[in-house]
Amino acid sequence: MEAAAQQIPPEAYVSFSAEIVPNTTESLLATMANIANQGIPKVYLLLSTPGGSVMHGMNLYNVLRAMPFHLVTHNVGNVDSIGNAVFLAGAERYSCPHSTFMFHGAGFDQFNGAPRLDEKYLAELTGNLLADQSRIGGVIEERTNLESAQIQALFREAQTKDATYAIGAGIVHEVKDVEIPPGAPVVSLVFQR
């Protein structure tokens, strides 16, 4: 008699509350790949992030959109900066009632060890900054109801918006609390400082 085939759960939940940097990005992608390899058809990404690296955030956005499962993103705290692009990877997007979204333009944190600041180097930095901002703005424009001028205003004014704004702007489809069914697989990514 053959052993009964292991039943694939209909959905899984992944909790990610961290900065978007190389090790957190790779951990999240590895977790999502493992879930994809199990054939789980629907994944809820419970997201709260202060943002981080544009390069890693765009990597997450593109890979998450390519995964073979239906991705639902749920803002469970703060989704800030490049975290907004990661959040927008969800085919369905939700926000808890007291969650927020913070937008600002791309920038550089420090110039430690930078070469002499001459015109050529500053032009290169400015070009890179504008390219990053254009990529993030493009994702927001494609995935929400916001137009380019509204996005640029959010970037210039470094604004934090609430869940009510997010639903009106098409960032989220609904404002609701997270509900994890009993017995559903839950993966909580934990990172050491």
Side-chain angles (χ1 to χ4, degrees):
M1 187 163 146
E2 291 182 33
Q6 185 175 357
Q7 188 169 345
I8 297 171
E11 58 195 26
Y13 292 77
V14 176
S15 175
F16 180 91
S17 297
E19 188 175 4
I20 297 167
V21 293
N23 69 311
T24 62
T25 297
E26 291 307 317
S27 289
L28 179 56
L29 290 177
T31 298
M32 294 302 205
N34 184 39
I35 290 170
N37 290 335
Q38 292 175 47
I40 297 173
K42 190 172 192 177
V43 178
Y44 289 79
L45 175 58
L46 311 179
L47 182 65
S48 185
T49 179
S53 160
V54 171
M55 178 182 85
H56 294 95
M58 293 305 296
N59 180 19
L60 281 171
Y61 171 80
N62 288 316
V63 175
L64 289 173
R65 296 224 344 122
M67 287 289 177
F69 47 68
H70 183 81
L71 179 64
V72 178
T73 52
H74 203 127
N75 180 345
V76 294
N78 297 18
V79 170
D80 299 344
S81 191
I82 190 61
N84 286 291
V86 175
F87 179 81
L88 290 170
E92 291 178 59
R93 301 182 299 271
Y94 303 108
S95 176
C96 291
H98 302 290
S99 296
T100 59
F101 296 84
M102 191 273 287
F103 300 87
H104 65 80
F108 298 101
D109 292 329
Q110 339 178 6
F111 285 102
N112 289 347
R116 190 171 71 96
L117 298 178
D118 61 15
E119 181 181 357
K120 180 180 180 291
Y121 184 67
L122 289 173
E124 180 182 330
L125 288 177
T126 301
N128 290 340
L129 183 141
L130 293 174
D132 282 347
Q133 197 158 288
S134 177
R135 290 192 302 163
I136 297 164
V139 167
I140 295 169
E141 190 170 2
E142 287 172 18
R143 306 284 290 165
T144 71
N145 301 332
L146 296 170
E147 296 178 2
S148 181
Q150 295 169 299
I151 296 164
Q152 294 310 311
L154 287 173
F155 287 168
R156 274 193 311 277
E157 298 168 21
Q159 297 185 10
T160 298
K161 298 295 187 180
D162 63 13
T164 302
Y165 172 88
I167 198 164
I171 298 166
V172 300
H173 299 109
E174 188 179 340
V175 176
K176 66 180 188 176
D177 288 321
V178 174
E179 294 179 15
I180 301 173
V186 179
V187 178
S188 182
L189 298 175
V190 179
F191 304 99
Q192 301 298 321
R193 284 194 160 251

